[in-house]
Amino acid sequence: MALSYSIFNINMEAIIMGLNKKSVDDINVNGKRVLVRCDFNVPLKNGEITDETRIVAALPTIQKLLKDGGKVILCSHLGKVKNGPNEGESLAPVAKRLSEKLGKEVNFVADYNVTGEAATAAVEAMKEGDVVLLQNTRFRGKEETKNGEEFSKELADLADVYVCDAFGSSHRAHASVAGVTECVREKGGECAVGYLMQKEIDFLGNAVENPVRPFVAILGGAKVADKLNVINNLLEKCDTLIIGGGMAFTFLKAKGYEIGNSLVDEEKIDYCKEMMDKAEKLGKKLLLPIDTTIAAGFPNPIDAEIEVSVVDADKIPADMEGLDIGEKTAELYADAVKSAKTVVWNGPMGVFENPILAKGTIAVAKALAETDATTIIGGGDSAAAVNQLGFADKMSHISTGGGASLEFLEGKELPGVVAADDK
């Protein structure tokens, strides 16, 4: 069941106070230039935005700063930008959509240098309540390096105050995420987190550090290697850990099962044994598939029709491949969710992009949608799955960060959070 944001105000204050970080409610921006790092890394097709979720998520913070009389300067990356600046990864479409959403013109500075003369002039001309959007920060070239001191200083020179609201980038110590904060502080400015960051910290922080129990964690996806530290950390925090997706087969092989041609990480078999032993010693439930949906091979293309059957998890034929959890496993996992008060889910149960192999993921999503628990989707493919399958509005929170969510669940400190001022 989806829960309103206001219900978590007390818990949010506890988490923010625990991290001791300033939010946009703690700073005075009247008449000041406020540089806001957003996550406008939106999908584009032929220059058109195909999913505006990240733009909509940034609006509350922007609107708050405008209401308080700030001069709001927005920055973000978009895409990978491997071969230098190009119009295909310009933030121009974002400026257009933002103008529509805010009901006022967003002045887009198209300068590939990001912080050059055009940006300086645009900021100097700002009045209270104006909005400027800088060009893709990755166009600068030093955004992803640790040697971005010059870029950090130039970003800070544009502003009096800095706000980070880009949770999806908060695990990166980039110039526009962490480096800029030192330069803003050196000139006497404040650095805070925005509402989106605050909400992510609230939900993910509470889930990991202060969950209402029983706490069930569900991990899926392809590889054990991608979630080594998450598995280890969550086993210490949760009451039940559910494993699905391709990573489950390494656990099954660690139990001595025949897994046929299923995906397996041979180097992580001993690790899986250690985690199963750890769960037993800690008195935690670690649930693995008891049956699996198999096929002769991976679908090609990924959404192609495919002939499947369901077998017990310890009876996968040598020439077959497991591609989804089976019906009995889906029921087992759904039952575990029904009794939970907090659920965190990261990673699909199978090849959810294929309708025939999406049944396990649908079953888990449906179980989360029907529970009264606080349900948190940890970004990435699991977020894409609940959105595509139509369950998004039934979840308490869907994280905007893939890698950032994983690192948070691992218990790591995120540079974008750490860099904000203490209260």
Side-chain angles (χ1 to χ4, degrees):
M1 181 178 71
L3 300 177
S4 70
Y5 183 48
S6 61
I7 290 175
F8 289 87
N9 283 345
I10 295 174
N11 282 341
M12 185 196 323
E13 288 173 12
I15 290 297
I16 293 294
M17 286 177 66
L19 289 169
N20 202 31
K21 297 301 175 183
K22 288 182 181 178
S23 77
V24 288
D25 289 326
D26 300 313
I27 57 176
N28 177 13
V29 300
N30 187 34
K32 296 180 181 179
R33 302 168 300 164
V34 189
L35 179 67
V36 187
R37 178 49 159 99
C38 299
D39 182 4
F40 292 144
N41 187 24
V42 296
L44 295 172
K45 186 174 183 180
N46 300 320
E48 295 293 325
I49 298 168
T50 58
D51 184 344
E52 61 182 27
T53 302
R54 287 175 173 168
I55 293 175
V56 173
L59 294 177
T61 293
I62 298 171
Q63 289 165 335
K64 162 69 173 173
L65 296 170
L66 291 173
K67 181 183 176 184
D68 289 353
K71 303 173 184 179
V72 179
I73 308 151
L74 307 173
C75 67
S76 174
H77 78 284
L78 194 159
K80 301 291 185 183
V81 193
K82 292 181 179 179
N83 300 311
N86 66 88
E87 279 304 302
E89 290 169 308
S90 168
L91 283 172
V94 173
K96 180 182 176 184
R97 189 64 60 89
L98 261 178
S99 296
E100 296 168 358
K101 293 290 182 184
L102 291 171
K104 66 188 305 170
E105 182 187 358
V106 172
N107 183 11
F108 176 57
V109 181
D111 182 7
Y112 284 1
N113 190 55
V114 186
T115 54
E117 291 181 8
T120 301
V123 171
E124 285 180 352
M126 292 180 80
K127 297 186 177 87
E128 293 177 14
D130 283 351
V131 183
V132 165
L133 174 62
L134 304 179
Q135 183 56 281
N136 189 339
T137 55
R138 298 272 171 92
F139 282 7
R140 181 58 182 260
K142 291 185 177 179
E143 171 70 352
E144 296 183 79
T145 72
K146 292 183 178 179
N147 300 314
E149 291 91 348
E150 183 182 354
F151 188 28
S152 296
K153 184 179 183 304
E154 289 176 14
L155 285 167
D157 285 344
L158 295 174
D160 305 304
V161 178
Y162 173 79
V163 173
C164 187
D165 210 25
F167 182 74
S169 299
S170 64
H171 60 313
R172 309 290 190 197
H174 290 172
S176 65
V177 175
V180 64
T181 61
E182 296 177 18
C183 301
V184 168
R185 270 191 289 270
E186 283 175 4
K187 54 192 278 189
E190 295 179 285
C191 302
V193 297
Y195 286 137
L196 180 60
M197 286 277 284
Q198 199 169 343
K199 190 179 179 188
E200 295 275 12
I201 293 166
D202 173 35
F203 277 97
L204 289 169
N206 261 320
V208 176
E209 300 300 336
N210 187 31
V212 180
R213 298 187 182 277
F215 172 27
V216 175
I218 307 170
L219 295 178
K223 298 177 182 177
V224 173
D226 294 340
K227 295 186 170 74
L228 289 176
N229 295 326
V230 180
I231 295 168
N232 191 38
N233 190 46
L234 285 180
L235 261 182
E236 296 178 3
K237 310 287 187 181
C238 70
D239 301 296
T240 300
L241 179 61
I242 294 173
I243 302 290
M247 62 188 293
F249 297 105
T250 304
F251 277 90
L252 293 176
K253 186 158 186 179
K255 290 189 71 169
Y257 291 3
E258 169 59 58
I259 61 168
N261 290 326
S262 304
L263 186 68
V264 63
D265 190 339
E266 298 284 354
E267 294 182 0
K268 298 297 181 289
I269 290 174
D270 285 343
Y271 172 84
C272 290
K273 289 178 180 177
E274 289 174 18
M275 291 302 101
M276 289 187 286
D277 288 342
K278 180 174 182 174
E280 188 174 354
K281 287 175 183 175
L282 292 174
K284 307 294 179 71
K285 290 182 182 177
L286 197 161
L287 301 182
L288 297 171
I290 54 177
D291 63 346
T292 184
T293 300
I294 60 172
F298 200 87
N300 185 20
I302 199 165
D303 59 351
E305 283 197 30
I306 187 171
E307 188 176 332
V308 300
S309 57
V310 179
V311 298
D312 289 345
D314 61 348
K315 294 182 173 59
I316 301 174
D319 60 347
M320 301 295 276
E321 180 177 0
L323 297 171
D324 190 16
I325 59 173
E327 292 177 8
K328 288 188 288 187
T329 302
E331 188 175 338
L332 173 70
Y333 291 0
D335 284 344
V337 167
K338 285 175 186 174
S339 61
K341 293 298 182 185
T342 304
V343 185
V344 171
W345 179 21
N346 187 287
M349 297 294 99
V351 188
F352 76 95
E353 299 91 341
N354 187 300
I356 300 167
L357 301 169
K359 292 178 180 177
T361 301
I362 291 172
V364 169
K366 190 170 183 291
L368 265 67
E370 292 175 351
T371 182
D372 287 333
T374 300
T375 50
I376 302 159
I377 312 303
D381 283 343
S382 42
V386 295
N387 278 311
Q388 289 177 26
L389 299 172
F391 291 102
D393 63 338
K394 299 292 192 294
M395 304 302 164
S396 304
H397 178 62
I398 299 176
S399 178
T400 56
S405 299
L406 274 179
E407 292 197 15
F408 206 107
L409 293 175
E410 285 178 30
K412 287 185 178 179
E413 289 187 331
L414 305 184
V417 176
V418 173
D421 288 348
D422 292 338
K423 281 191 178 182

